[in-house]
């Protein structure tokens, strides 16, 4: 970028947004746009995509026109910009005719920096004519993966956005998405006529998210402990597979004194909307939801995403967990999974009635998900590898359970052989429960009925308890030695490769199985959690600052984070600014917010210290 361009972009970064430095590729992207270039930006959720078009829109003449399918979010986005002193507006079906006309007039008169529009509105003749008459700084196409016919967010209107290039060839365009795969990327370039644009690919790593997988035991109690243990009072999402489980879990958490709300497609639209609004606006709501909840949740301070059931693919899992920690602060992704999840999902695929080709892909995706759960290596490495970012085999992120408490592995060949032969000797017709009873030597009525208490494998597995054997079974499934047959109610059957393991031609290392009592605390309870404050932060003062933020936010009818992010309040509680000049130096405090809120926060700071 021209030096003048850099200087102006930096000035806007500090004055308007209150930030000191650009992140990642932001400076390059912004420079390229300010100079009139086209760009495709691939950045993970929370990477900071918005500034990439907001700053060039402010720096360049005219208004930046932002196309977004997420109508429900436009209001909050525009409110946030206005509070930072940016002239922003939106046009979508929620405005009445008069309000819409006012926005159009302001746009035509050159009074706006940013204008958000829904794609169907942008494509109308009336709006295209308005564009011809107005000064446009750039076009930003947000959620650009919606152009992909293969993706689940496909929007037909997105394909027609190529008209922008045809009618306004000299206006720079920027397309943005958090979808990583190469096929979608090429589709965006082709369909939007962006083949000459620069492509900026960021790492999809989310270093502030800590990944943790626990063995499901008493899932709800484990969830309760996870929440109490470091996430108390924090906002988060708990995903469940079924509506019923959502309802039950929400009630259960509310019984523990948490602010938990249910969200699923079976609830009234009004109830859903109200719960979503409360989640966005209030502090510390735990949303218990099916996967129906999420698209377009850009609440920056979601501190945890918990899964009570196994997701069906790593794509889905990464997207869901990616909703945590958009503000870059410490956050946690927690997953409880057990053998029954694996059997259930396998069965669901087998019985889905989909074509074999589709089933094959779904099984592969589930296998990758299982591989993630059972890995004894760094979980981040497994995730990034899946998305095409290869790291060294011994890479350690230091922020996942396996890196922080490396699991001990043992030679699992003999236990594996015991389980495999138990399956073989019983005709591969029984599920894990019966096989484990057999190994443990439990003479249940079923055992006696089938004469299995007379088998040589009866009672040969007392080295582990029930939980231990379940872990062995899961690892054998994940490693592809056993599969759960849906037509036989989840009976465990040997795969082709199991033979070599049975004969001792290959060995298998498995996670060391602890004989811990069910309900004992997770070993990890002592590690730092997301709600823990940096040293030197005054917690009582932070509460006073939060209360001040809550009051200002509700006076103006905006979510609390629109006033200031948590990170900004934490920094205030640490450095304890005493003058407006001190306050200006805190990250996230721009000039407009300083003059609007500065005195209120200085007052709160005095009161709290
Ligand atoms: P995305 O759209 O990529 O998910 P956002 O644009 O919403 O991400 O940015 C995520 C968060 O990071 C926002 O809260 C934003 O204010 C903050 N942010 C973005 N860029 C910077 C920066 N250079 N310095 C500090 N915070 C930033
Ligand atoms: Zn790791």
């Amino acid at each position: 970028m021209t030096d003048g361009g850099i200087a102006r972009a930096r000035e806007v970064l500090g004055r308007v947004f209150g930030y000191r430095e650009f992140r990642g590729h932001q400076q390059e992207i912004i420079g390229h746009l300010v100079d009139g270039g086209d760009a495709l930006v691939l950045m993970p959720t929370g990477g900071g995509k918005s500034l990439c078009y907001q700053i060039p829109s402010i720096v360049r003449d005219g208004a930046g026109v932002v196309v977004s399918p997420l109508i429900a979010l436009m209001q909050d986005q525009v409110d946030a910009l206005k509070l930072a002193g940016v002239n922003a507006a939106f046009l979508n079906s929620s405005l009445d005719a008069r309000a819409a006309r006012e926005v159009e007039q302001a746009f035509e008169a050159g009074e706006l920096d940013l204008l958000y529009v829904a794609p169907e509105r942008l494509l109308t003749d009336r709006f295209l004519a308005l564009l011809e008459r107005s000064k446009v700084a750039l076009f930003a196409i947000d959620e650009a993966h919606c152009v992909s016919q293969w993706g689940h967010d496909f929007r037909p209107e997105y394909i027609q956005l190529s008209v922008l290039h045809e009618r306004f060839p000299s206006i720079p365009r920027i397309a943005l998405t958090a979808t990583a795969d190469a096929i979608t990327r090429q589709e965006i370039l082709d369909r939007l006529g962006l083949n000459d644009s620069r492509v900026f690919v960021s790492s999809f790593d989310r270093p502030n998210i800590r990944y943790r997988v626990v063995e499901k035991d008493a899932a709800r109690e484990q969830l309760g402990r996870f929440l109490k243990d470091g996430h108390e009072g924090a906002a988060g999402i708990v995903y469940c597979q079924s509506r019923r489980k959502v309802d039950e879990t929400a009630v259960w958490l509310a019984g523990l004194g948490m602010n938990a709300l249910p969200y699923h497609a079976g609830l009234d639209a009004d109830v859903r909307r109200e719960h979503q609004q409360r989640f966005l606006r209030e502090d510390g709501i735990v949303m218990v939801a099916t996967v129906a909840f999420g698209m377009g949740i850009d609440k920056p301070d979601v501190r945890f995403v918990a899964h009570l059931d196994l997701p069906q693919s790593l794509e889905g899992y990464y997207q869901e967990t990616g909703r945590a920690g958009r503000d870059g602060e410490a956050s946690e992704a927690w997953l409880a999974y057990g053998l029954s999840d694996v059997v259930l999902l396998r069965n669901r695929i087998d019985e889905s009635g989909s074509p074999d080709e589709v089933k094959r892909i779904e099984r592969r995706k589930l296998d990758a998900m299982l591989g993630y759960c059972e890995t004894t290596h760094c979980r981040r490495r497994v995730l990034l590898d899946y998305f095409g970012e290869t790291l060294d085999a011994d890479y350690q992120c230091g922020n996942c359970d396996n890196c922080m408490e490396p699991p001990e592995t043992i030679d699992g060949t003999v236990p594996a052989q015991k389980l495999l032969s138990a399956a073989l000797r019983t005709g591969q017709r029984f599920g894990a429960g019966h096989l484990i009873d057999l190994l443990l030597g439990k003479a249940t009525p079923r055992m006696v009925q089938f004469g299995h208490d007379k088998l040589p494998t009866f009672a040969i597995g007392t080295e582990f308890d029930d939980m231990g054997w379940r872990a062995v079974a899961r690892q054998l499934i994940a490693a592809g030695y056993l599969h759960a047959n849906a037509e036989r109610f989840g009976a465990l059957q040997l795969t082709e490769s199991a033979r070599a393991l049975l004969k001792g031609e290959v060995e298998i290392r498995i996670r060391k199985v602890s004989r811990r009592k069910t309900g004992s605390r997770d070993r990890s309870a002592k590690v730092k959690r997301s709600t823990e404050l940096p040293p030197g932060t005054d917690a009582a003062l932070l509460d006073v600052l939060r209360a001040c933020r809550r009051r200002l936010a509700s006076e103006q009818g905006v979510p609390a984070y629109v006033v200031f992010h948590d990170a900004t309040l934490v920094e205030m509680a640490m450095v304890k600014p005493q003058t407006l000049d001190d306050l200006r130096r805190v990250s996230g405090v721009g000039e407009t917010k300083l003059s609007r809120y500065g005195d209120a926060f200085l007052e709160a700071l005095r009161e709290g210290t």
Side-chain angles (χ1 to χ4, degrees), residues 13 17 19-23 26 43-54 142-143 178 298 300 326-328 565 587-588:
L13 180 73
F17 297 96
Y19 297 140
R20 299 181 197 113
E21 296 295 333
F22 286 112
R23 272 193 197 157
Q26 278 176 340
M43 226 186 242
T45 308
K49 286 186 283 301
S50 325
L51 289 191
C52 295
Y53 57 80
Q54 288 168 347
D142 207 2
E143 313 289 344
D298 71 351
R326 294 175 76 120
D327 55 8
H565 281 180
S587 177

mmCIF file of all heavy atoms in Angstrom, residues 13 17 19-23 26 43-54 142-143 178 298 300 326-328 565 587-588, ligand 1:
data_model
loop_
_atom_site.group_PDB
_atom_site.id
_atom_site.type_symbol
_atom_site.label_atom_id
_atom_site.label_comp_id
_atom_site.label_asym_id
_atom_site.label_seq_id
_atom_site.Cartn_x
_atom_site.Cartn_y
_atom_site.Cartn_z
ATOM 1 N N LEU A 13 -7.647 2.841 12.553
ATOM 2 C CA LEU A 13 -7.597 1.708 13.482
ATOM 3 C C LEU A 13 -7.553 2.205 14.931
ATOM 4 O O LEU A 13 -8.270 1.716 15.799
ATOM 5 C CB LEU A 13 -6.368 0.832 13.192
ATOM 6 C CG LEU A 13 -6.179 -0.396 14.094
ATOM 7 C CD1 LEU A 13 -7.195 -1.471 13.750
ATOM 8 C CD2 LEU A 13 -4.754 -0.962 13.961
ATOM 9 N N PHE A 17 -11.443 2.523 16.189
ATOM 10 C CA PHE A 17 -11.643 1.237 16.845
ATOM 11 C C PHE A 17 -10.848 1.099 18.146
ATOM 12 O O PHE A 17 -11.088 0.190 18.936
ATOM 13 C CB PHE A 17 -11.305 0.091 15.880
ATOM 14 C CG PHE A 17 -12.211 0.080 14.676
ATOM 15 C CD1 PHE A 17 -11.830 0.683 13.486
ATOM 16 C CD2 PHE A 17 -13.470 -0.488 14.755
ATOM 17 C CE1 PHE A 17 -12.683 0.702 12.390
ATOM 18 C CE2 PHE A 17 -14.338 -0.475 13.666
ATOM 19 C CZ PHE A 17 -13.937 0.130 12.477
ATOM 20 N N TYR A 19 -7.750 0.246 18.526
ATOM 21 C CA TYR A 19 -6.774 -0.844 18.530
ATOM 22 C C TYR A 19 -5.397 -0.333 18.161
ATOM 23 O O TYR A 19 -5.244 0.610 17.410
ATOM 24 C CB TYR A 19 -7.187 -1.952 17.563
ATOM 25 C CG TYR A 19 -8.488 -2.621 17.931
ATOM 26 C CD1 TYR A 19 -9.409 -2.974 16.954
ATOM 27 C CD2 TYR A 19 -8.795 -2.908 19.261
ATOM 28 C CE1 TYR A 19 -10.609 -3.593 17.288
ATOM 29 C CE2 TYR A 19 -9.988 -3.523 19.599
ATOM 30 C CZ TYR A 19 -10.895 -3.862 18.616
ATOM 31 O OH TYR A 19 -12.069 -4.470 18.933
ATOM 32 N N ARG A 20 -4.369 -1.027 18.692
ATOM 33 C CA ARG A 20 -3.001 -0.569 18.492
ATOM 34 C C ARG A 20 -2.367 -1.143 17.239
ATOM 35 O O ARG A 20 -1.617 -0.492 16.545
ATOM 36 C CB ARG A 20 -2.139 -0.958 19.692
ATOM 37 C CG ARG A 20 -2.618 -0.331 20.976
ATOM 38 C CD ARG A 20 -1.710 -0.728 22.144
ATOM 39 N NE ARG A 20 -2.399 -0.472 23.391
ATOM 40 C CZ ARG A 20 -2.788 -1.415 24.223
ATOM 41 N NH1 ARG A 20 -2.542 -2.681 23.963
ATOM 42 N NH2 ARG A 20 -3.427 -1.105 25.338
ATOM 43 N N GLU A 21 -2.650 -2.419 16.975
ATOM 44 C CA GLU A 21 -1.950 -3.112 15.897
ATOM 45 C C GLU A 21 -2.941 -3.843 15.015
ATOM 46 O O GLU A 21 -3.988 -4.289 15.479
ATOM 47 C CB GLU A 21 -1.009 -4.178 16.485
ATOM 48 C CG GLU A 21 0.123 -3.637 17.350
ATOM 49 C CD GLU A 21 1.095 -2.784 16.565
ATOM 50 O OE1 GLU A 21 1.214 -3.008 15.334
ATOM 51 O OE2 GLU A 21 1.712 -1.881 17.166
ATOM 52 N N PHE A 22 -2.559 -4.020 13.742
ATOM 53 C CA PHE A 22 -3.338 -4.911 12.890
ATOM 54 C C PHE A 22 -3.031 -6.339 13.283
ATOM 55 O O PHE A 22 -1.984 -6.634 13.836
ATOM 56 C CB PHE A 22 -2.984 -4.678 11.413
ATOM 57 C CG PHE A 22 -3.550 -3.400 10.878
ATOM 58 C CD1 PHE A 22 -2.724 -2.343 10.519
ATOM 59 C CD2 PHE A 22 -4.923 -3.255 10.748
ATOM 60 C CE1 PHE A 22 -3.254 -1.159 10.032
ATOM 61 C CE2 PHE A 22 -5.464 -2.072 10.257
ATOM 62 C CZ PHE A 22 -4.623 -1.023 9.912
ATOM 63 N N ARG A 23 -3.960 -7.221 12.934
ATOM 64 C CA ARG A 23 -3.763 -8.634 13.220
ATOM 65 C C ARG A 23 -3.540 -9.382 11.919
ATOM 66 O O ARG A 23 -4.220 -9.112 10.933
ATOM 67 C CB ARG A 23 -5.044 -9.210 13.809
ATOM 68 C CG ARG A 23 -5.175 -9.112 15.277
ATOM 69 C CD ARG A 23 -6.335 -10.018 15.667
ATOM 70 N NE ARG A 23 -6.816 -9.703 16.993
ATOM 71 C CZ ARG A 23 -8.039 -9.994 17.410
ATOM 72 N NH1 ARG A 23 -8.897 -10.573 16.598
ATOM 73 N NH2 ARG A 23 -8.401 -9.704 18.623
ATOM 74 N N GLN A 26 -4.422 -8.440 8.143
ATOM 75 C CA GLN A 26 -5.298 -7.260 8.018
ATOM 76 C C GLN A 26 -4.636 -6.105 7.267
ATOM 77 O O GLN A 26 -5.238 -5.526 6.363
ATOM 78 C CB GLN A 26 -5.750 -6.778 9.397
ATOM 79 C CG GLN A 26 -6.930 -7.539 9.969
ATOM 80 C CD GLN A 26 -7.284 -7.092 11.375
ATOM 81 O OE1 GLN A 26 -6.466 -6.494 12.083
ATOM 82 N NE2 GLN A 26 -8.511 -7.375 11.785
ATOM 83 N N MET A 43 -10.424 -16.509 6.428
ATOM 84 C CA MET A 43 -9.947 -16.278 7.795
ATOM 85 C C MET A 43 -10.901 -16.997 8.735
ATOM 86 O O MET A 43 -12.099 -16.999 8.485
ATOM 87 C CB MET A 43 -10.050 -14.774 8.063
ATOM 88 C CG MET A 43 -8.864 -14.136 8.707
ATOM 89 S SD MET A 43 -9.227 -12.404 9.099
ATOM 90 C CE MET A 43 -8.019 -11.588 8.098
ATOM 91 N N PRO A 44 -10.393 -17.578 9.802
ATOM 92 C CA PRO A 44 -11.321 -18.285 10.692
ATOM 93 C C PRO A 44 -12.236 -17.304 11.415
ATOM 94 O O PRO A 44 -11.953 -16.099 11.449
ATOM 95 C CB PRO A 44 -10.394 -18.988 11.683
ATOM 96 C CG PRO A 44 -9.171 -18.145 11.705
ATOM 97 C CD PRO A 44 -9.020 -17.608 10.309
ATOM 98 N N THR A 45 -13.283 -17.829 11.964
ATOM 99 C CA THR A 45 -14.174 -17.034 12.788
ATOM 100 C C THR A 45 -13.350 -16.343 13.872
ATOM 101 O O THR A 45 -12.489 -16.961 14.472
ATOM 102 C CB THR A 45 -15.190 -17.960 13.465
ATOM 103 O OG1 THR A 45 -15.779 -18.740 12.450
ATOM 104 C CG2 THR A 45 -16.253 -17.181 14.186
ATOM 105 N N GLY A 46 -13.620 -15.078 14.086
ATOM 106 C CA GLY A 46 -12.890 -14.355 15.118
ATOM 107 C C GLY A 46 -11.544 -13.827 14.642
ATOM 108 O O GLY A 46 -10.812 -13.189 15.390
ATOM 109 N N GLY A 47 -11.217 -14.078 13.382
ATOM 110 C CA GLY A 47 -9.921 -13.654 12.859
ATOM 111 C C GLY A 47 -9.832 -12.153 12.644
ATOM 112 O O GLY A 47 -8.744 -11.592 12.557
ATOM 113 N N GLY A 48 -10.985 -11.498 12.541
ATOM 114 C CA GLY A 48 -10.976 -10.052 12.330
ATOM 115 C C GLY A 48 -11.270 -9.668 10.893
ATOM 116 O O GLY A 48 -10.646 -8.756 10.339
ATOM 117 N N LYS A 49 -12.231 -10.343 10.301
ATOM 118 C CA LYS A 49 -12.572 -10.057 8.902
ATOM 119 C C LYS A 49 -13.221 -8.685 8.734
ATOM 120 O O LYS A 49 -12.976 -8.001 7.753
ATOM 121 C CB LYS A 49 -13.529 -11.133 8.360
ATOM 122 C CG LYS A 49 -12.829 -12.457 8.080
ATOM 123 C CD LYS A 49 -13.745 -13.455 7.406
ATOM 124 C CE LYS A 49 -14.713 -14.100 8.367
ATOM 125 N NZ LYS A 49 -14.060 -14.823 9.466
ATOM 126 N N SER A 50 -14.050 -8.288 9.697
ATOM 127 C CA SER A 50 -14.830 -7.055 9.490
ATOM 128 C C SER A 50 -13.948 -5.835 9.227
ATOM 129 O O SER A 50 -14.253 -5.039 8.344
ATOM 130 C CB SER A 50 -15.726 -6.767 10.692
ATOM 131 O OG SER A 50 -16.207 -7.945 11.251
ATOM 132 N N LEU A 51 -12.873 -5.692 9.996
ATOM 133 C CA LEU A 51 -12.026 -4.507 9.794
ATOM 134 C C LEU A 51 -11.466 -4.454 8.381
ATOM 135 O O LEU A 51 -11.164 -3.373 7.885
ATOM 136 C CB LEU A 51 -10.855 -4.502 10.790
ATOM 137 C CG LEU A 51 -11.142 -4.223 12.264
ATOM 138 C CD1 LEU A 51 -9.832 -3.996 13.001
ATOM 139 C CD2 LEU A 51 -12.048 -3.028 12.436
ATOM 140 N N CYS A 52 -11.321 -5.625 7.745
ATOM 141 C CA CYS A 52 -10.727 -5.683 6.404
ATOM 142 C C CYS A 52 -11.547 -4.904 5.393
ATOM 143 O O CYS A 52 -11.013 -4.429 4.398
ATOM 144 C CB CYS A 52 -10.575 -7.125 5.934
ATOM 145 S SG CYS A 52 -9.420 -8.062 6.920
ATOM 146 N N TYR A 53 -12.860 -4.791 5.599
ATOM 147 C CA TYR A 53 -13.634 -3.945 4.675
ATOM 148 C C TYR A 53 -14.096 -2.650 5.346
ATOM 149 O O TYR A 53 -14.316 -1.654 4.684
ATOM 150 C CB TYR A 53 -14.820 -4.709 4.066
ATOM 151 C CG TYR A 53 -15.806 -5.305 5.043
ATOM 152 C CD1 TYR A 53 -16.786 -4.522 5.637
ATOM 153 C CD2 TYR A 53 -15.750 -6.642 5.372
ATOM 154 C CE1 TYR A 53 -17.693 -5.074 6.537
ATOM 155 C CE2 TYR A 53 -16.652 -7.203 6.272
ATOM 156 C CZ TYR A 53 -17.618 -6.407 6.849
ATOM 157 O OH TYR A 53 -18.505 -6.941 7.744
ATOM 158 N N GLN A 54 -14.215 -2.667 6.688
ATOM 159 C CA GLN A 54 -14.678 -1.439 7.339
ATOM 160 C C GLN A 54 -13.654 -0.308 7.205
ATOM 161 O O GLN A 54 -14.014 0.830 6.878
ATOM 162 C CB GLN A 54 -14.987 -1.709 8.816
ATOM 163 C CG GLN A 54 -16.255 -2.541 8.989
ATOM 164 C CD GLN A 54 -16.442 -3.075 10.402
ATOM 165 O OE1 GLN A 54 -15.530 -3.037 11.224
ATOM 166 N NE2 GLN A 54 -17.635 -3.590 10.681
ATOM 167 N N ASP A 142 -19.843 -10.659 2.274
ATOM 168 C CA ASP A 142 -19.576 -11.423 3.493
ATOM 169 C C ASP A 142 -20.193 -12.813 3.358
ATOM 170 O O ASP A 142 -21.121 -12.996 2.579
ATOM 171 C CB ASP A 142 -20.188 -10.679 4.684
ATOM 172 C CG ASP A 142 -19.453 -10.998 5.977
ATOM 173 O OD1 ASP A 142 -18.462 -11.749 5.927
ATOM 174 O OD2 ASP A 142 -19.873 -10.495 7.033
ATOM 175 N N GLU A 143 -19.683 -13.765 4.112
ATOM 176 C CA GLU A 143 -20.184 -15.155 4.061
ATOM 177 C C GLU A 143 -20.206 -15.636 2.611
ATOM 178 O O GLU A 143 -21.190 -16.214 2.141
ATOM 179 C CB GLU A 143 -21.600 -15.263 4.665
ATOM 180 C CG GLU A 143 -21.791 -14.573 6.004
ATOM 181 C CD GLU A 143 -21.085 -15.276 7.158
ATOM 182 O OE1 GLU A 143 -20.693 -16.448 7.012
ATOM 183 O OE2 GLU A 143 -20.912 -14.640 8.210
ATOM 184 N N ALA A 178 -15.242 -17.878 6.288
ATOM 185 C CA ALA A 178 -14.503 -18.674 7.270
ATOM 186 C C ALA A 178 -14.528 -20.148 6.884
ATOM 187 O O ALA A 178 -14.161 -20.999 7.671
ATOM 188 C CB ALA A 178 -15.102 -18.491 8.660
ATOM 189 N N ASP A 298 -22.572 -13.852 16.203
ATOM 190 C CA ASP A 298 -21.223 -13.299 16.312
ATOM 191 C C ASP A 298 -21.001 -12.612 17.644
ATOM 192 O O ASP A 298 -20.288 -11.640 17.764
ATOM 193 C CB ASP A 298 -20.830 -12.447 15.110
ATOM 194 C CG ASP A 298 -21.565 -11.130 15.060
ATOM 195 O OD1 ASP A 298 -22.495 -10.960 15.866
ATOM 196 O OD2 ASP A 298 -21.202 -10.278 14.224
ATOM 197 N N PRO A 300 -19.058 -11.982 20.659
ATOM 198 C CA PRO A 300 -17.615 -12.204 20.744
ATOM 199 C C PRO A 300 -17.171 -12.906 22.035
ATOM 200 O O PRO A 300 -16.097 -13.479 22.082
ATOM 201 C CB PRO A 300 -17.033 -10.789 20.701
ATOM 202 C CG PRO A 300 -18.121 -9.911 21.209
ATOM 203 C CD PRO A 300 -19.414 -10.579 20.839
ATOM 204 N N ARG A 326 -14.450 -15.541 19.973
ATOM 205 C CA ARG A 326 -14.176 -14.676 18.818
ATOM 206 C C ARG A 326 -13.377 -13.454 19.231
ATOM 207 O O ARG A 326 -12.722 -12.836 18.412
ATOM 208 C CB ARG A 326 -15.488 -14.201 18.193
ATOM 209 C CG ARG A 326 -16.281 -15.311 17.572
ATOM 210 C CD ARG A 326 -17.589 -14.764 17.090
ATOM 211 N NE ARG A 326 -17.404 -14.013 15.880
ATOM 212 C CZ ARG A 326 -17.980 -14.311 14.724
ATOM 213 N NH1 ARG A 326 -18.782 -15.333 14.642
ATOM 214 N NH2 ARG A 326 -17.766 -13.585 13.673
ATOM 215 N N ASP A 327 -13.458 -13.067 20.489
ATOM 216 C CA ASP A 327 -12.715 -11.895 20.934
ATOM 217 C C ASP A 327 -11.243 -12.200 21.194
ATOM 218 O O ASP A 327 -10.495 -11.332 21.636
ATOM 219 C CB ASP A 327 -13.364 -11.305 22.202
ATOM 220 C CG ASP A 327 -13.507 -12.338 23.308
ATOM 221 O OD1 ASP A 327 -12.977 -13.461 23.164
ATOM 222 O OD2 ASP A 327 -14.152 -12.026 24.324
ATOM 223 N N GLY A 328 -10.834 -13.433 20.957
ATOM 224 C CA GLY A 328 -9.422 -13.764 21.133
ATOM 225 C C GLY A 328 -9.039 -14.110 22.561
ATOM 226 O O GLY A 328 -7.888 -14.444 22.841
ATOM 227 N N HIS A 565 -15.670 -4.546 24.869
ATOM 228 C CA HIS A 565 -15.446 -5.981 25.050
ATOM 229 C C HIS A 565 -14.908 -6.252 26.443
ATOM 230 O O HIS A 565 -14.347 -5.371 27.084
ATOM 231 C CB HIS A 565 -14.426 -6.475 24.039
ATOM 232 C CG HIS A 565 -15.017 -6.673 22.690
ATOM 233 N ND1 HIS A 565 -14.291 -7.109 21.624
ATOM 234 C CD2 HIS A 565 -16.278 -6.498 22.246
ATOM 235 C CE1 HIS A 565 -15.079 -7.191 20.568
ATOM 236 N NE2 HIS A 565 -16.277 -6.822 20.925
ATOM 237 N N SER A 587 -6.761 -0.693 24.993
ATOM 238 C CA SER A 587 -7.157 -1.265 23.709
ATOM 239 C C SER A 587 -8.671 -1.405 23.628
ATOM 240 O O SER A 587 -9.306 -1.901 24.551
ATOM 241 C CB SER A 587 -6.500 -2.633 23.526
ATOM 242 O OG SER A 587 -6.939 -3.205 22.324
ATOM 243 N N GLY A 588 -9.233 -0.928 22.530
ATOM 244 C CA GLY A 588 -10.682 -1.003 22.341
ATOM 245 C C GLY A 588 -11.393 0.304 22.632
ATOM 246 O O GLY A 588 -12.598 0.415 22.445
HETATM 247 P P1 LIG B 1 -14.710 -12.418 12.086
HETATM 248 O O1 LIG B 1 -15.744 -11.625 11.327
HETATM 249 O O2 LIG B 1 -13.507 -12.765 11.296
HETATM 250 O O3 LIG B 1 -15.292 -13.588 12.811
HETATM 251 P P2 LIG B 1 -14.545 -10.043 13.642
HETATM 252 O O4 LIG B 1 -14.295 -9.106 12.538
HETATM 253 O O5 LIG B 1 -15.893 -10.083 14.257
HETATM 254 O O6 LIG B 1 -14.133 -11.511 13.222
HETATM 255 O O7 LIG B 1 -13.434 -9.780 14.751
HETATM 256 C C1 LIG B 1 -13.363 -10.566 15.896
HETATM 257 C C2 LIG B 1 -13.035 -9.710 17.077
HETATM 258 O O8 LIG B 1 -11.679 -9.273 17.042
HETATM 259 C C3 LIG B 1 -13.883 -8.469 17.123
HETATM 260 O O9 LIG B 1 -14.346 -8.346 18.419
HETATM 261 C C4 LIG B 1 -12.937 -7.352 16.726
HETATM 262 O O10 LIG B 1 -13.285 -6.146 17.331
HETATM 263 C C5 LIG B 1 -11.604 -7.863 17.219
HETATM 264 N N1 LIG B 1 -10.484 -7.366 16.401
HETATM 265 C C6 LIG B 1 -10.386 -7.408 15.059
HETATM 266 N N2 LIG B 1 -9.219 -6.871 14.637
HETATM 267 C C7 LIG B 1 -8.554 -6.489 15.749
HETATM 268 C C8 LIG B 1 -7.268 -5.863 15.984
HETATM 269 N N3 LIG B 1 -6.456 -5.528 14.985
HETATM 270 N N4 LIG B 1 -6.927 -5.627 17.272
HETATM 271 C C9 LIG B 1 -7.742 -5.973 18.286
HETATM 272 N N5 LIG B 1 -8.954 -6.554 18.131
HETATM 273 C C10 LIG B 1 -9.361 -6.815 16.884
#
